[in-house]
Amino acid sequence: MPENNETPISPPLVELDINTHDRGFYDGFSREVTIPSKIIVSLIIMWAIFFPVSANETLTVVNSTIVANFSGWYVYLVAALMVTCLLLALIPKVGSLRIGNPGEKPEFGFFSWFAMLFGAGIGIGMLTYSTGEPLAHFQNNPDIIRGTVAAVSPEAVRPAYIYTFLHWGLAAWGCYGLVGLSIGYVAYRRNLPLTIRSALAPLFGKTMEGGIGHIVDIVAVVATILGVAVTMGLGVEQFVAGLSRIGLGDWLLDTDGRSTPIAITVSLALLVGASTLSALSGVGKGIKWLSNLNLGLSLALLALFAVVGVGLAGLELLGVAIFDYLLNLPRAALTLFPSDGTEIGEALVRWQLDWSVFYWAWWIAFAPFVGMFIARISRGRTVREYVLGVMIVPSLMCFVWMVLVGGTAIELELSGQAQGAILAAPISDQLYATLNVLLDPAIAKIVSGLVVILLMTYLITSTDSAILIVNTINGAGETDGQRRRHIVFWGFALAVMVGSMLIIGGIGAIRTTMIIGALPFSLVVALMGIAIVKAIAFDIVRKRHGVPTTAEACENWPEEQ
C-alpha cells in the first residue's frame, strides 16, 4: 500500500477459510467438526442407554460440582450479556449500523421474523412454564423463604412474577441476542461463514480456521443438542399429558402420572419424524409457515384466557408485574445467595440453583441454536432494530402469556375454585388442569386439543430449526443444500437422546446433562461478547478514517483511494 494511503487502522478480516470435504458422505461438511460432534453425542446416548446407573450417578456428581463452583459465573455472565446487548442498541453510532451492507433490506417481514424467532426461542418452554413457573414461585420464592410473605397468598403473587419475569425476560433474550448479533454482524458485513467460530474472528483472526475454531464449533454443536434436548423433553411430557387429557387412552401415563415408555417412543417418532421432514424443506418453507401457524394459535389461546380467564385484572397485574420486574432487575440479576450454613441461607441457595442457575445454563446452551437461527433470519436489520426486536418484543409476549395464563391459574387457586387441583398437578399437566377448572368439560377437551396441536407445531419448529443450525455449523456456515442424510442423523440422535433420558431418569437427567454441556460454551459466549464490542468499536473508527467496514467495500480498496 502506498504511503499516502496509510491509515491508523486496517480493514476488517473478510475471509475465513474453513476446510470442507469435497466428495463422498461428508461432501460440503467439515469432517473435523462433524465427526467428533457425532461421536460425542453418540457416546452420551450409549452411556445413558447401556450404563444408566453409572451415567446417572456420574452426571449427578459432576452437576453438583459445577453448580456449586460456577453458579456465580453463570449469574454474572448473563447479567453482562444483557447489559452489553442493550448498550449496543442505545449508543447512536452503533445502533445505526446494519447487519449487512448499507441499505440492504431485511429478507423476512416483521411478522414472519418475529414469529420465527419467538417460536424457535421460547415457544415450548412457555407452554409448560406459563402456569408452572408462576405457580411454583407462588408457593416458594426468596421472599417466602425469608418469611416476608406467606406461601399461596395474595401477597405472594407480586414476588412470584418478579422471579418469573427475571427468568423469561431480558436475560434470556440478551443471551440469544448477543450470540446472534456476534454471528450475523461478521457473517453479513464481512462475508465470513455463518458459524460460531466466525464470531470470534475479531479477537483471534485467522487462528479460527484451524483446530481452535474446530473445537469452538464442536462445543457449540454439543451444547445445541443438549439444550434442545431439554426443550424437547419438556414438550414431549406435556404433549403426552395433553393426549391423555383429551382421552386417547390410559396407556399414555403410568400410575404415578409419568409418561410411559411407549408413549414417549410414539410421541418422539411422530414429532421428530415431522421435524425432519420440515427441516428437509428449509427455513423459507416449512419453518416459516409453521412459525406463522404457531403465532396465530398462540394469539388465539391468549385471547381465550383474556376473555374467560383473569381478564381485565390481568392487565393491572401485567402493569404492576412489569414495574416490579424493572425496579428489581438490577438487584435480582446480580444477586448470588451465599451458603452461610443457616437453614434460610441454604434454602435460598438451593432455590437459586434449581431455578436461576438452571435457566442461565439452559439459555446459554440454547444460545448457539437460537443465536444462529436469529442471525440467519435477521440479515438487513440495523443493530438497534435487531436488539430491540429480539429482546423487548418477545419478552413482552412472554410477560403477557405468563400473566394471562399463569395469573388465571393463581386466581382459580386463590378463589378456591380449583381447590388445589392445579397446584397438585405435575408441571406438564398444569395448563390442562387450569383449562379443566376454567371451562366446561367438553370445551376444556377441545381447547386442550388446541394446546396439543400448538405444542406439536412448536416442537416441530424448534427441532427442525435446531437440525438445520447444527448442519449449518458442520457445513462451515453453508445454509443451502443441506445434506439429507445428516439431517436424518441429527433428528434420530435427538429422538434417541431425549427418549433414553426420559425413560431412564426423567427430565432431571436431561437437565443435568445440559447444565454440564453449557459450561464450556459459556466461555465461548463470554468471548463472543468481547468480540462483537471490539468489532463494532473498530468499525466506528474505520468509518471515521474512511476505511471500509464491509467485504463489499473492501473489494475496491485501496485502489479507489
Side-chain angles (χ1 to χ4, degrees):
M1 185 188 301
E3 271 187 31
N4 60 351
N5 284 335
E6 287 184 357
T7 59
I9 189 169
S10 301
L13 175 69
V14 295
E15 190 174 319
L16 195 68
D17 294 323
I18 303 174
N19 183 47
T20 56
H21 205 49
D22 58 2
R23 64 182 183 278
F25 186 77
Y26 288 99
D27 179 26
F29 281 77
S30 169
R31 290 188 297 182
E32 293 84 356
V33 175
T34 309
I35 294 175
S37 298
K38 288 182 175 180
I39 290 173
I40 292 171
V41 171
S42 299
L43 288 175
I44 293 172
I45 292 171
M46 289 189 289
W47 189 29
I49 292 176
F50 297 112
F51 306 98
V53 176
S54 171
N56 190 46
E57 291 176 352
T58 304
L59 288 173
T60 301
V61 171
V62 174
N63 178 67
S64 299
T65 303
I66 287 176
V67 296
N69 293 282
F70 292 94
S71 55
W73 164 250
Y74 281 128
V75 169
Y76 298 131
L77 173 61
V78 170
L81 297 176
M82 177 173 54
V83 171
T84 301
C85 214
L86 287 172
L87 286 177
L88 290 175
L90 296 176
I91 299 173
K93 288 185 178 180
V94 175
S96 61
L97 292 172
R98 193 168 293 276
I99 305 172
N101 295 308
E104 189 171 352
K105 300 298 182 183
E107 179 181 359
F108 297 101
F110 180 78
F111 184 87
S112 293
W113 180 59
F114 169 64
M116 284 190 284
L117 71 89
F118 183 75
I122 284 200
I124 299 170
M126 186 188 62
L127 277 176
T128 300
Y129 285 102
S130 58
T131 49
E133 180 136 4
L135 285 172
H137 300 326
F138 180 55
Q139 299 172 84
N140 187 43
N141 65 59
D143 291 7
I144 293 172
I145 293 171
R146 295 189 188 99
T148 56
V149 299
V152 195
S153 69
E155 293 75 25
V157 175
R158 289 180 67 170
Y161 275 100
I162 290 174
Y163 297 108
T164 298
F165 287 6
L166 171 67
H167 298 147
W168 291 86
L170 298 177
W173 291 96
C175 293
Y176 299 158
L178 189 134
V179 170
L181 180 62
S182 302
I183 299 166
Y185 189 86
V186 298
Y188 298 134
R189 288 181 67 87
R190 303 181 179 184
N191 202 29
L192 300 186
L194 187 71
T195 187
I196 300 296
R197 75 173 77 187
S198 295
L200 300 184
L203 285 180
F204 303 110
K206 286 281 190 177
T207 304
M208 301 313 296
E209 292 179 346
I212 296 176
H214 299 331
I215 292 172
V216 168
D217 281 347
I218 292 168
V219 168
V221 169
V222 175
T224 298
I225 294 298
L226 294 176
V228 173
V230 171
T231 303
M232 284 187 65
L234 289 169
V236 166
E237 288 195 328
Q238 192 172 27
F239 183 74
V240 173
L243 294 178
S244 178
R245 281 282 183 178
I246 62 178
L248 292 190
D250 297 333
W251 60 276
L252 294 162
L253 301 175
D254 60 22
T255 54
D256 296 327
R258 292 181 54 186
S259 303
T260 62
I262 189 171
I264 292 171
T265 303
V266 171
S267 298
L268 282 170
L270 170 66
L271 296 168
V272 176
S275 300
T276 303
L277 291 175
S278 179
L280 291 170
S281 71
V283 174
K285 297 179 182 178
I287 296 175
K288 175 182 175 180
W289 293 111
L290 277 173
S291 297
N292 290 340
L293 175 62
N294 291 344
L295 190 57
L297 290 174
S298 297
L299 293 175
L301 192 59
L302 277 179
L304 172 69
F305 277 96
V307 174
V308 301
V310 72
L312 292 177
L315 295 178
E316 180 181 354
L317 176 59
L318 177 63
V320 171
I322 291 177
F323 174 80
D324 288 344
Y325 164 66
L326 294 176
L327 185 65
N328 288 276
L329 180 59
R331 174 189 58 81
L334 293 171
T335 294
L336 182 65
F337 296 121
S339 180
D340 58 9
T342 65
E343 184 178 348
I344 292 177
E346 293 306 308
L348 288 171
V349 170
R350 176 46 50 195
W351 180 90
Q352 188 168 46
L353 294 179
D354 288 344
W355 288 99
S356 298
V357 174
F358 159 67
Y359 272 121
W360 300 161
W362 189 9
W363 301 151
I364 288 170
F366 220 44
F369 152 49
V370 182
M372 282 275 292
F373 185 74
I374 295 175
R376 168 66 182 84
I377 63 176
S378 298
R379 181 167 188 162
R381 301 194 180 276
T382 64
V383 171
R384 181 175 298 109
E385 181 184 17
Y386 169 90
V387 171
L388 296 181
V390 169
M391 289 188 69
I392 294 178
V393 177
S395 294
L396 288 175
M397 185 66 174
C398 285
F399 295 166
V400 171
W401 190 280
M402 296 283 184
V403 165
L404 290 181
V405 181
T408 298
I410 289 175
E411 179 58 31
L412 291 172
E413 288 291 357
L414 283 175
S415 67
Q417 187 175 347
Q419 297 182 345
I422 303 174
L423 290 174
I427 191 171
S428 60
D429 193 42
Q430 285 180 328
L431 177 56
Y432 304 114
T434 302
L435 291 170
N436 205 46
V437 174
L438 184 65
L439 305 171
D440 290 334
I443 298 177
K445 184 173 290 189
I446 293 172
V447 178
S448 294
L450 174 66
V451 173
V452 170
I453 294 172
L454 178 59
L455 184 64
M456 181 172 65
T457 57
Y458 271 133
L459 278 162
I460 293 171
T461 304
S462 291
T463 307
D464 63 12
S465 300
I467 292 170
L468 286 176
I469 291 306
V470 165
N471 262 358
T472 300
I473 297 173
N474 289 332
E478 176 61 44
T479 59
D480 298 320
Q482 301 286 359
R483 308 305 189 270
R484 292 175 178 268
R485 289 168 293 187
H486 298 279
I487 289 176
V488 172
F489 171 85
W490 289 114
F492 179 77
L494 267 172
V496 175
M497 175 176 284
V498 173
S500 61
M501 296 256 180
L502 280 179
I503 292 171
I504 293 168
I507 193 66
I510 306 178
R511 287 175 52 152
T512 299
T513 310
M514 180 273 299
I515 290 175
I516 296 170
L519 183 60
F521 190 70
S522 67
L523 177 60
V524 176
V525 172
L527 292 172
M528 292 172 84
I530 299 171
I532 186 60
V533 170
K534 178 184 176 183
I536 289 175
F538 276 42
D539 276 357
I540 291 174
V541 175
R542 290 184 180 104
K543 288 179 69 176
R544 186 183 307 146
H545 291 281
V547 178
T549 62
T550 66
E552 185 179 77
C554 285
E555 291 179 359
N556 299 318
W557 195 87
E559 289 81 0
E560 64 184 14
Q561 301 297 308

